[in-house]
Amino acid sequence: MEIIIDNKKIEVDKGKTVLEAAKENGIVIPTLCHSSFLEDVGACRMCLIEDLADGKLKTSCTTEVKEGMEVLTKSERVEDSRRTILDLLISDHPLDCMTCEAGGNCILQDLAYHYGIERSSYGAKVERRFEIERNNEFIELDPDKCILCGKCIRVDQDIQCSDAIDFVDRGFQTKVGAANDEGLGGEDSTCVFCGQCVELCPTGALSYIPSQNKGREYDFEKTVTTCPYCGVGCQLELKTRDRKVIEVGSVYREGTPNPYGEACVKGRFGYDFINHPDRLKKPLIKRNGSFEEAEWEEALSMVAERLTEIKDEYGGRALAGLSSAKCTNEENYLMQKFMRAVIGTNSVDHCARLCHASTVAGLVKAFGSGAMTNSIAEIEGSDVIFVIGSNPTENHPVIGSKMKKAQKQGTKLIVADPRQIELSSLAEVAIQHRPGTDVALLNGLIHVIIDEGLADQKFIEERTENYEYLASVVEDYTPEKVEEITGVEAVKIKKAARLYAEADKAAIYFAMGITQHRTGTDNVLSVANLALLTGNVGRESTGVNPLRGQNNVQGACDLGALSNVYPGYQSVEDPEIKEKFARAWETEELSEEVGLTVVEIFKQAGKEIKGLYIIGENPVISDPDQRHIEESLDKLDFLVVEDIFLTETAKFADVVLPAACFAEKEGTFTNTERRIQKVNQAIEPPGEARADWKIISEISTRMGYQMNYDSPAEIMAEIAEVTPIYGGIYADRLGDKGLQWPCKDREDPGTKFLHQGEFARGKGKFHPVTYIPPAEEVDEEYDFIMMTGRMLYHFHTGTMTRNSEPIDKHEPDAYLEINEKDAKKLRIKEGDRVRVTSRRGEVETNVRIGERVQPGQIFMPFHYAESPANRLTNPVLDQDAKIPELKVTAVKIEKVKSNKI
Amino acid sequence: MAVIKLSALDHIFEKYEEKKGNLIPVLHDIQEEIGYLPVEVQRYASKKLGVAMSKIYGVISFYSFFTTEPKGEHTIGVCMGTACYVKGAEDILNRLKEELEIETGQTTADNKFTMTVTRCLGTCSMAPVIMIDEQVHGNLTAAKIPEVINKY
Ligand code: SF4
Ligand code: SF4
Ligand code: SF4
Ligand code: FES
């Protein structure tokens, strides 16, 4: 339709607001309470326009366009009104722009400047009316600077979905407040410090504590890059000054995993590690048991010589490499290329073995591809979301928020987790099954669906195979029998089965709760069975969606940092494929024998394996059975570790090489939804630290195999040549929002969801599985089941988050969660110190009592070097994927010391 | 503070079907029943209704009817209307604070009185006045205060 704005005719779509129409046509209307992705409330009245039809002043953000409408955006009446509003706002606003954090980044200041309001004609605010709130490490609220636009509240409630803040009190006393008016850090506050409210605040009312007095917006250089923490792959803006990261801002960009500038506390505040004084700045060589700084030349030559010696003496198979899910795609590619083409072994693996190896094994069997089938943006479109063995609000927080948002909009949640997680409280059906009984539970659901005729027969016939066999295997798994195994009431099992099967679009999301078992692959197969049975694959907002833990664990797998596949999941055992790589890499070293996996490498240390090259991994903390790992490292003839800190693992090394971190290099990460996104350099590495891709190239070249890459882009071009699923991935094509593989060639726009029309393997295949109990069960001595996992504030082995001051201050201590009933029995109180012992070791930690875990179970996060949960865990392996059973360990608990407070 | 048995409030939640939208009537009925809305009760309501604690506080602080402090047996309202103010309401208030050893909004240790200030009570001819429960006491002076409160 046509409307007239400021005497200019404009074509505009129905349903738009006048503000949007104006913006599309380059007409600027000032706003304070509007944001393009939040519901408009018309609170500030800055966006007034004059409607010539009735002569009224209207708020353009809430006025829809009407055919033939004629409005003025800058008439005298409009401008006078705006001036009056500003005048009033400023009369109640402290005039301390001189010292305000928001100076230069404040809409109120800009408008006052624009309208020439030096001081208010209604008088000035001389005295504070409120107290400044800062009872946390992250965010300060100064209600005196608040103009009550409500943007913070809307983003908190509608995008982040934490419901942490709201307007409190009334009249002149109205302000933004958290629960009980105790501030964001208060006892009942549900704030998770994502910072999205701060980003949207038009004034200095909300500000970041860690960056106070460290610079203003105009002092910063800004670099958009990809978050180095979890697999969501949020786009973030690093604000830097004098080679330091000072603050992390939001990026608002359609088509990214976080289009509304979402982030979590790790991405937002976990950057101190970058400029930490303990960063490695020079190579270290161990001499007589202690490290000495060395020049690069000497360190690199030493590494090249020692690796060559071992290779010459014992053969390439005596060496192994651990690549890193933290490093870029290009670096992972080079690492596996180096191990395969130069060393001549397939023993290159990485920590994905400990998280999602079973996913890849299982989904490849069932579908032909091991990745998340659908995309993050599709979450909102699902009718039912089934979350099993995944705690998104802590481990993939931005995805967690999207699920909460979907739930608010009508999506039904089914949540199955031994613990009562945050999503459980929002679930239509919340299931707490016994740890390690997932197969039984899933078979139970499948049984009910078949039994009640809810299966998608057409899909089964047309697109799957092996259904009959599945039907026969699950016949035994009646809801009643499953109740016995899992502890979940039969009625609940039925309810969940119906809800999932009857939905038009149902999606499954899972993570380590499914994979980290000795039956991990079976668990994944069961999940796939369920989706195939109901036709919930190959369509938008459905699918089987493993959530990948680390920023680039997807990419590290994609690019062959796995002992059985070349880049793009091409089998090392296939002679044709070997031939292809031999030609592409111009090498004769390639082996047809599957290499050793992470856990096997440590088992063979000192035996088959003499030398180990580790990049950016910390197995001493992350791997099961810590004592065993330490002994293994001791037994090696030669260990080289490349990392950003002298980690617990690096301490065992003969040579330590200082690496650049994500903020200091170029490259790409692949997020959990298969999206390859750019990593952009914001600052120079500290001291002499270098990017991993440069270090690997140097070592390789010194060993006689030339690697002369000028840039990661050049490496990516080589990847595209040899990796069909990355065939169209070139640095110059990634643009603002990256590309999702499979992407065959330069014309291919990438793939939003997999298996449309046809599965990667042709037909989807049912793999019936029977329930096998976990390897360890409770007995008289070890009478608790321990589960391990992550928590919101820390990440993996803590190398990064524990070196980020505000985060570590907020969550400094390791802990275990125990049910209140057990606590009573053991006479332990909140904060008491206890000893947890398994058949392999013991650790001490603090107690947190609650209802999150069920009686007989405890939960322990594994991030803490001082209380390493993995000293206890069981390295018993899944037979297919070689993933250890990290989720179920029998332990006992004894009190050591009472909490004095 | 007396211990409140939370499950004793369940009938109220049942009456309103544990629906989010019924937050205000639920809080209202709870306060009618136990006199005030302490934090534990807010937490319970938050869990039962699935409403955030921030929202509950927002509602409680918005409506002056709601209180998070326990109410005494008698409520004293000190009129702060213009007439009373001019005639010395402030002295009355200060004397009450002294006698009862509490601030406005608080309740005496023996749980007998809760003191609040009110807007004009419409009995300006008797200013300054206070209202105890439904009873208006007029033409007061600070000196008369002990006598008035001793009647209760
Ligand atoms: S930091 Fe995030 S969770 Fe906390 S109040 Fe702001 S938007 Fe809500
Ligand atoms: S704190 Fe900032 S965003 Fe929130 S209402 Fe006040 S001015 Fe608006
Ligand atoms: S840790 Fe994950 S959710 Fe948090 S900001 Fe980084 S990518 Fe986003
Ligand atoms: S922007 Fe329209 S009323 Fe605030």
Coordinates of all heavy atoms in Angstrom, one line a residue, chain A residues 619-672:
Chain A
P619 N 43.7 -33.8 29.2 CA 43.1 -35.1 29.6 C 43.3 -35.4 31.1 O 42.4 -36.2 31.6 CB 43.9 -36.1 28.7 CG 45.1 -35.4 28.2 CD 44.7 -34.0 28.1
V620 N 44.2 -34.8 31.7 CA 44.4 -35.1 33.2 C 43.1 -34.8 33.9 O 42.7 -35.4 34.9 CB 45.6 -34.4 33.8 CG1 45.6 -34.4 35.3 CG2 46.9 -34.9 33.2
I621 N 42.4 -33.7 33.5 CA 41.1 -33.3 34.1 C 39.9 -33.9 33.4 O 38.9 -34.3 34.0 CB 41.0 -31.8 34.1 CG1 42.2 -31.2 34.9 CG2 39.7 -31.4 34.8 CD1 42.2 -31.4 36.3
S622 N 40.0 -34.0 32.0 CA 38.8 -34.3 31.3 C 38.5 -35.8 31.1 O 37.4 -36.2 30.8 CB 38.7 -33.6 29.9 OG 39.8 -34.2 29.1
D623 N 39.6 -36.6 31.3 CA 39.4 -38.0 30.9 C 39.1 -38.9 32.2 O 39.5 -38.5 33.3 CB 40.6 -38.5 30.2 CG 40.8 -37.9 28.8 OD1 40.1 -36.9 28.6 OD2 41.5 -38.4 28.0
P624 N 38.5 -40.0 31.9 CA 38.2 -40.9 33.1 C 39.4 -41.5 33.7 O 40.5 -41.7 33.1 CB 37.3 -42.0 32.5 CG 37.7 -42.0 31.0 CD 38.1 -40.6 30.7
D625 N 39.3 -41.7 35.0 CA 40.4 -42.4 35.8 C 41.7 -41.6 35.7 O 42.7 -42.0 35.1 CB 40.6 -43.8 35.2 CG 41.3 -44.6 36.3 OD1 41.8 -44.1 37.3 OD2 41.5 -45.8 36.0
Q626 N 41.7 -40.5 36.5 CA 42.8 -39.5 36.4 C 44.2 -40.1 36.8 O 45.2 -39.9 36.1 CB 42.5 -38.4 37.4 CG 43.5 -37.3 37.3 CD 43.2 -36.2 38.3 OE1 42.9 -36.5 39.5 NE2 43.4 -35.0 37.9
R627 N 44.2 -41.0 37.8 CA 45.5 -41.5 38.2 C 46.1 -42.3 37.0 O 47.3 -42.1 36.8 CB 45.3 -42.4 39.4 CG 46.6 -42.6 40.2 CD 46.4 -43.6 41.3 NE 45.4 -43.1 42.3 CZ 44.7 -43.9 43.1 NH1 44.8 -45.2 42.9 NH2 43.9 -43.4 44.0
H628 N 45.3 -43.0 36.3 CA 45.8 -43.8 35.2 C 46.4 -42.9 34.1 O 47.4 -43.2 33.6 CB 44.7 -44.7 34.7 CG 44.9 -45.2 33.3 ND1 45.8 -46.2 33.1 CD2 44.4 -44.8 32.1 CE1 45.9 -46.5 31.8 NE2 45.0 -45.6 31.2
I629 N 45.7 -41.8 33.9 CA 46.2 -40.8 32.8 C 47.6 -40.3 33.2 O 48.5 -40.2 32.4 CB 45.2 -39.7 32.6 CG1 43.8 -40.2 32.2 CG2 45.7 -38.6 31.7 CD1 43.7 -40.6 30.8
E630 N 47.7 -39.9 34.5 CA 48.9 -39.3 34.9 C 50.1 -40.4 34.8 O 51.2 -40.0 34.4 CB 48.8 -38.8 36.4 CG 47.9 -37.6 36.5 CD 47.7 -37.1 37.9 OE1 48.1 -37.9 38.8 OE2 47.1 -36.1 38.1
E631 N 49.8 -41.6 35.2 CA 50.8 -42.6 35.1 C 51.2 -42.8 33.6 O 52.4 -43.0 33.3 CB 50.3 -43.9 35.7 CG 50.3 -44.0 37.2 CD 49.4 -45.1 37.7 OE1 48.9 -46.0 36.9 OE2 49.2 -45.1 39.0
S632 N 50.2 -42.8 32.8 CA 50.5 -43.0 31.3 C 51.4 -41.9 30.8 O 52.3 -42.2 30.1 CB 49.2 -43.0 30.5 OG 48.3 -43.9 31.0
L633 N 51.1 -40.7 31.2 CA 51.9 -39.6 30.7 C 53.3 -39.7 31.1 O 54.3 -39.4 30.4 CB 51.3 -38.2 31.1 CG 49.9 -37.8 30.5 CD1 49.4 -36.6 31.2 CD2 50.1 -37.6 29.0
D634 N 53.5 -40.2 32.4 CA 54.8 -40.4 32.9 C 55.6 -41.4 32.1 O 56.8 -41.4 32.0 CB 54.7 -40.9 34.4 CG 54.9 -39.7 35.3 OD1 55.5 -38.7 34.9 OD2 54.4 -39.8 36.5
K635 N 54.9 -42.4 31.6 CA 55.6 -43.5 30.9 C 56.1 -43.2 29.5 O 56.8 -43.9 28.9 CB 54.6 -44.7 30.8 CG 54.5 -45.5 32.1 CD 53.8 -46.8 31.8 CE 52.9 -47.1 33.0 NZ 51.6 -47.7 32.6
L636 N 55.6 -42.0 29.0 CA 56.0 -41.7 27.6 C 57.4 -41.3 27.4 O 58.0 -40.7 28.3 CB 55.1 -40.5 27.1 CG 53.6 -40.8 26.9 CD1 52.9 -39.5 26.8 CD2 53.4 -41.7 25.7
D637 N 58.0 -41.7 26.3 CA 59.4 -41.2 26.0 C 59.4 -39.7 25.7 O 60.3 -39.0 26.1 CB 60.0 -42.0 24.8 CG 60.2 -43.4 25.1 OD1 60.0 -43.8 26.3 OD2 60.6 -44.2 24.2
F638 N 58.4 -39.3 25.0 CA 58.4 -37.9 24.7 C 56.9 -37.4 24.6 O 56.0 -38.0 24.0 CB 59.0 -37.7 23.3 CG 59.1 -36.3 22.8 CD1 60.0 -35.4 23.5 CD2 58.4 -35.8 21.8 CE1 60.1 -34.1 23.1 CE2 58.5 -34.5 21.4 CZ 59.4 -33.6 22.0
L639 N 56.7 -36.2 25.2 CA 55.4 -35.6 25.2 C 55.5 -34.1 24.9 O 56.3 -33.4 25.5 CB 54.7 -35.7 26.6 CG 53.4 -34.9 26.8 CD1 52.3 -35.5 25.9 CD2 52.9 -35.0 28.3
V640 N 54.9 -33.7 23.8 CA 54.8 -32.3 23.5 C 53.4 -31.8 23.6 O 52.5 -32.4 23.2 CB 55.4 -32.0 22.1 CG1 54.9 -32.9 21.0 CG2 55.2 -30.5 21.7
V641 N 53.2 -30.7 24.4 CA 51.9 -30.1 24.6 C 51.9 -28.7 24.1 O 52.7 -27.9 24.4 CB 51.5 -30.1 26.1 CG1 50.2 -29.4 26.3 CG2 51.4 -31.6 26.5
E642 N 50.9 -28.4 23.3 CA 50.7 -27.0 22.7 C 49.4 -26.5 23.4 O 48.4 -27.1 23.3 CB 50.4 -27.2 21.2 CG 50.9 -26.2 20.3 CD 50.8 -26.8 18.9 OE1 51.6 -27.6 18.5 OE2 49.9 -26.4 18.2
D643 N 49.5 -25.4 24.2 CA 48.3 -24.9 24.8 C 48.5 -23.4 25.2 O 49.6 -22.9 25.0 CB 48.1 -25.7 26.1 CG 46.6 -25.8 26.4 OD1 45.9 -24.8 26.3 OD2 46.1 -26.9 26.8
I644 N 47.5 -22.9 25.7 CA 47.5 -21.4 26.1 C 48.0 -21.2 27.5 O 48.5 -20.2 27.9 CB 46.2 -20.7 25.8 CG1 45.1 -21.3 26.6 CG2 45.9 -20.8 24.3 CD1 43.8 -20.5 26.5
F645 N 47.8 -22.3 28.4 CA 48.3 -22.2 29.7 C 49.1 -23.5 30.0 O 49.1 -24.4 29.3 CB 47.1 -22.2 30.7 CG 46.4 -20.9 30.8 CD1 45.2 -20.8 30.2 CD2 46.9 -19.8 31.5 CE1 44.5 -19.6 30.2 CE2 46.3 -18.6 31.5 CZ 45.0 -18.5 30.9
L646 N 49.9 -23.4 31.1 CA 50.6 -24.6 31.5 C 49.6 -25.4 32.3 O 49.5 -25.4 33.5 CB 51.8 -24.2 32.5 CG 52.8 -25.3 32.8 CD1 53.5 -25.8 31.5 CD2 53.8 -24.8 33.7
T647 N 48.8 -26.2 31.6 CA 47.7 -27.0 32.2 C 48.3 -28.2 33.0 O 49.5 -28.5 33.0 CB 46.8 -27.6 31.1 OG1 47.6 -28.5 30.3 CG2 46.2 -26.5 30.2
E648 N 47.4 -28.8 33.7 CA 47.7 -30.0 34.5 C 48.4 -31.0 33.6 O 49.3 -31.7 34.0 CB 46.5 -30.6 35.1 CG 45.9 -29.8 36.3 CD 45.0 -28.6 35.7 OE1 44.8 -28.5 34.5 OE2 44.7 -27.7 36.5
T649 N 48.0 -31.1 32.4 CA 48.6 -32.0 31.4 C 50.0 -31.5 30.9 O 50.9 -32.3 30.8 CB 47.7 -32.3 30.2 OG1 46.4 -32.7 30.7 CG2 48.2 -33.3 29.2
A650 N 50.0 -30.3 30.6 CA 51.3 -29.7 30.1 C 52.4 -29.9 31.1 O 53.6 -30.0 30.7 CB 51.1 -28.2 29.8
K651 N 52.1 -29.9 32.3 CA 53.2 -30.1 33.3 C 54.0 -31.4 33.1 O 55.1 -31.5 33.5 CB 52.6 -30.1 34.7 CG 52.1 -28.7 35.1 CD 51.7 -28.6 36.5 CE 51.2 -27.1 36.8 NZ 50.0 -27.1 37.5
F652 N 53.3 -32.4 32.5 CA 54.0 -33.6 32.2 C 54.9 -33.6 31.0 O 55.6 -34.6 30.7 CB 53.0 -34.8 32.1 CG 52.3 -35.2 33.4 CD1 51.2 -34.5 33.9 CD2 52.8 -36.2 34.1 CE1 50.6 -34.8 35.0 CE2 52.2 -36.6 35.3 CZ 51.1 -35.9 35.8
A653 N 54.8 -32.5 30.2 CA 55.4 -32.5 28.9 C 57.0 -32.3 28.9 O 57.5 -31.8 29.9 CB 54.8 -31.4 28.1
D654 N 57.6 -32.7 27.8 CA 59.0 -32.4 27.7 C 59.2 -31.1 27.0 O 60.1 -30.4 27.3 CB 59.7 -33.5 26.8 CG 59.5 -34.9 27.4 OD1 60.2 -35.1 28.4 OD2 58.7 -35.7 27.0
V655 N 58.3 -30.8 26.1 CA 58.3 -29.5 25.5 C 56.9 -28.9 25.5 O 55.9 -29.6 25.2 CB 58.8 -29.6 24.0 CG1 58.8 -28.2 23.3 CG2 60.2 -30.2 23.9
V656 N 56.8 -27.6 25.9 CA 55.5 -27.0 25.9 C 55.6 -25.8 24.9 O 56.5 -25.0 25.0 CB 55.1 -26.5 27.3 CG1 53.8 -25.7 27.2 CG2 55.1 -27.6 28.3
L657 N 54.6 -25.8 24.0 CA 54.6 -24.7 23.0 C 53.5 -23.7 23.2 O 52.3 -24.2 23.4 CB 54.5 -25.3 21.6 CG 55.6 -26.3 21.2 CD1 55.3 -27.0 19.9 CD2 57.0 -25.6 21.2
P658 N 53.7 -22.4 23.3 CA 52.7 -21.5 23.6 C 51.8 -21.2 22.4 O 52.3 -20.8 21.4 CB 53.5 -20.2 24.0 CG 54.7 -20.3 23.3 CD 55.0 -21.8 23.1
A659 N 50.5 -21.4 22.6 CA 49.6 -21.2 21.5 C 48.8 -19.9 21.6 O 48.6 -19.4 22.7 CB 48.6 -22.4 21.4
A660 N 48.3 -19.4 20.4 CA 47.4 -18.3 20.4 C 46.0 -18.8 20.7 O 45.7 -19.9 20.4 CB 47.5 -17.6 19.0
C661 N 45.2 -17.9 21.3 CA 43.8 -18.4 21.6 C 42.9 -17.8 20.5 O 43.3 -17.1 19.6 CB 43.4 -17.9 23.0 SG 42.9 -16.2 23.1
F662 N 41.6 -18.1 20.6 CA 40.7 -17.8 19.5 C 40.7 -16.3 19.1 O 40.5 -16.0 18.0 CB 39.3 -18.2 19.9 CG 38.5 -17.2 20.8 CD1 37.5 -16.5 20.3 CD2 38.9 -17.1 22.1 CE1 36.9 -15.5 21.1 CE2 38.3 -16.1 22.9 CZ 37.3 -15.3 22.4
A663 N 40.9 -15.5 20.1 CA 40.9 -14.0 19.8 C 42.1 -13.5 19.1 O 42.1 -12.4 18.7 CB 40.7 -13.3 21.1
E664 N 43.1 -14.4 19.0 CA 44.3 -14.0 18.4 C 44.7 -14.6 17.1 O 45.8 -14.6 16.6 CB 45.4 -14.3 19.4 CG 45.2 -13.6 20.8 CD 45.7 -14.5 22.0 OE1 46.3 -15.6 21.8 OE2 45.6 -14.0 23.1
K665 N 43.7 -15.3 16.5 CA 43.9 -15.9 15.2 C 42.7 -15.9 14.3 O 41.6 -15.6 14.7 CB 44.5 -17.3 15.4 CG 43.5 -18.2 16.1 CD 44.1 -19.6 16.5 CE 43.2 -20.5 17.2 NZ 43.8 -21.6 17.8
E666 N 43.0 -16.3 13.1 CA 41.9 -16.4 12.1 C 41.5 -17.9 11.9 O 42.3 -18.8 12.2 CB 42.4 -15.9 10.7 CG 42.8 -14.5 10.7 CD 41.7 -13.5 10.7 OE1 40.7 -13.8 9.9 OE2 41.7 -12.5 11.4
G667 N 40.4 -18.1 11.3 CA 40.0 -19.5 11.0 C 38.5 -19.7 11.0 O 37.8 -18.7 10.9
T668 N 38.0 -20.9 11.3 CA 36.6 -21.1 11.4 C 36.3 -22.2 12.4 O 37.2 -23.0 12.8 CB 36.0 -21.7 10.0 OG1 36.7 -22.9 9.7 CG2 36.2 -20.7 8.9
F669 N 35.1 -22.1 13.0 CA 34.6 -23.1 13.9 C 33.3 -23.6 13.3 O 32.6 -22.9 12.6 CB 34.2 -22.6 15.3 CG 35.3 -22.1 16.2 CD1 35.1 -21.1 17.1 CD2 36.6 -22.6 16.1 CE1 36.1 -20.6 18.0 CE2 37.6 -22.2 17.0 CZ 37.4 -21.2 17.9
T670 N 33.0 -24.9 13.5 CA 31.7 -25.4 13.1 C 30.8 -25.7 14.3 O 31.2 -26.4 15.2 CB 31.9 -26.7 12.3 OG1 32.8 -26.5 11.2 CG2 30.6 -27.2 11.7
N671 N 29.7 -25.0 14.3 CA 28.8 -25.2 15.5 C 28.0 -26.4 15.5 O 28.1 -27.2 14.5 CB 28.0 -23.9 15.8 CG 26.7 -23.9 14.9 OD1 26.6 -24.6 14.0 ND2 25.8 -23.0 15.2
T672 N 27.2 -26.6 16.5 CA 26.4 -27.9 16.6 C 25.4 -28.1 15.5 O 25.1 -29.2 15.2 CB 25.7 -27.9 18.0 OG1 25.2 -29.2 18.2 CG2 24.6 -26.9 18.1

